[in-house]
Amino acid sequence: MNSDSDSIQHIVIFASGSGTNALNICNYFKDHKHIKVAGLVCNKEKAGVLERLAPFEVPVFHMRKDDLKSPENLLSFLDGCKTDLIVLAGFLWLIPLPVVKKYSDRMINIHPALLPKYGGKGMYGMKVHEAVIENEEKESGITIHYVNE
């Protein structure tokens, strides 16, 4: 993050789904003096997150499969947002390695269950919660972790 304590820290949210976490993040920081949500990256044209975040008027990058192999446009968008922190809030694609490397120690993921038990392919949204209930777990929660290679 920026070292100047008077500067604004810019968060870019990546989301694929309904956007409840993204909305909560935007609401939390909407009047903050030093932190703002500066952008949204979404890979689904009709994702609920687009409608939920529309009132915040954050720039949106519509990520395509091609951006996974050639992330130059994504990196340019992140640069334009002056990105200090990336928050993966229900984003279902793997992040291209050049992006992971550039934002090392500045990218976090919010996962709706305790990892590693309820992670991996197919473990998102309500599917995670259904699996936890089906397995009669005594504890559940979320995992927030840094993203790396």
Side-chain angles (χ1 to χ4, degrees):
M1 295 216 167
N2 293 332
S3 60
D4 181 359
S5 62
D6 292 331
S7 67
I8 295 177
Q9 303 299 305
H10 297 86
I11 298 172
V12 174
I13 298 171
F14 284 48
S16 298
S18 68
T20 55
N21 282 334
L23 177 62
N24 287 330
I25 293 166
C26 285
N27 278 326
Y28 186 84
F29 290 115
K30 71 180 175 187
D31 296 319
H32 200 283
K33 292 180 182 177
H34 302 288
I35 300 172
K36 77 177 225 174
V37 175
L40 171 67
V41 174
C42 184
N43 64 312
K44 291 187 177 180
E45 289 184 25
K46 298 188 188 239
V49 68
L50 298 168
E51 186 175 327
R52 286 184 197 264
L53 267 56
F56 296 93
E57 300 179 349
V58 296
V60 177
F61 179 82
H62 293 278
M63 192 167 169
R64 311 270 185 246
K65 286 279 187 188
D66 291 345
D67 296 311
L68 296 174
K69 294 177 187 166
S70 300
E72 295 82 15
N73 291 333
L74 174 58
L75 286 165
S76 178
F77 175 79
L78 295 170
D79 287 344
C81 292
K82 301 178 184 173
T83 306
D84 295 299
L85 177 70
I86 294 174
V87 177
L88 307 179
F91 191 73
L92 300 181
W93 286 358
L94 288 176
I95 306 301
L97 189 55
V99 177
V100 173
K101 286 183 176 184
K102 181 171 182 173
Y103 292 94
S104 175
D105 296 325
R106 297 186 297 141
M107 184 184 310
I108 60 173
N109 181 47
I110 302 169
H111 184 73
L114 299 176
L115 293 175
K117 193 170 185 179
Y118 292 99
K121 193 167 181 78
M123 286 287 119
Y124 62 91
M126 286 306 294
K127 293 180 180 191
V128 171
H129 305 298
E130 289 165 357
V132 169
I133 291 168
E134 183 178 313
N135 289 330
E136 299 179 2
E137 296 289 351
K138 297 197 184 331
E139 291 183 317
S140 188
I142 66 169
T143 303
I144 300 173
H145 61 91
Y146 283 101
V147 175
N148 59 34
E149 297 172 33

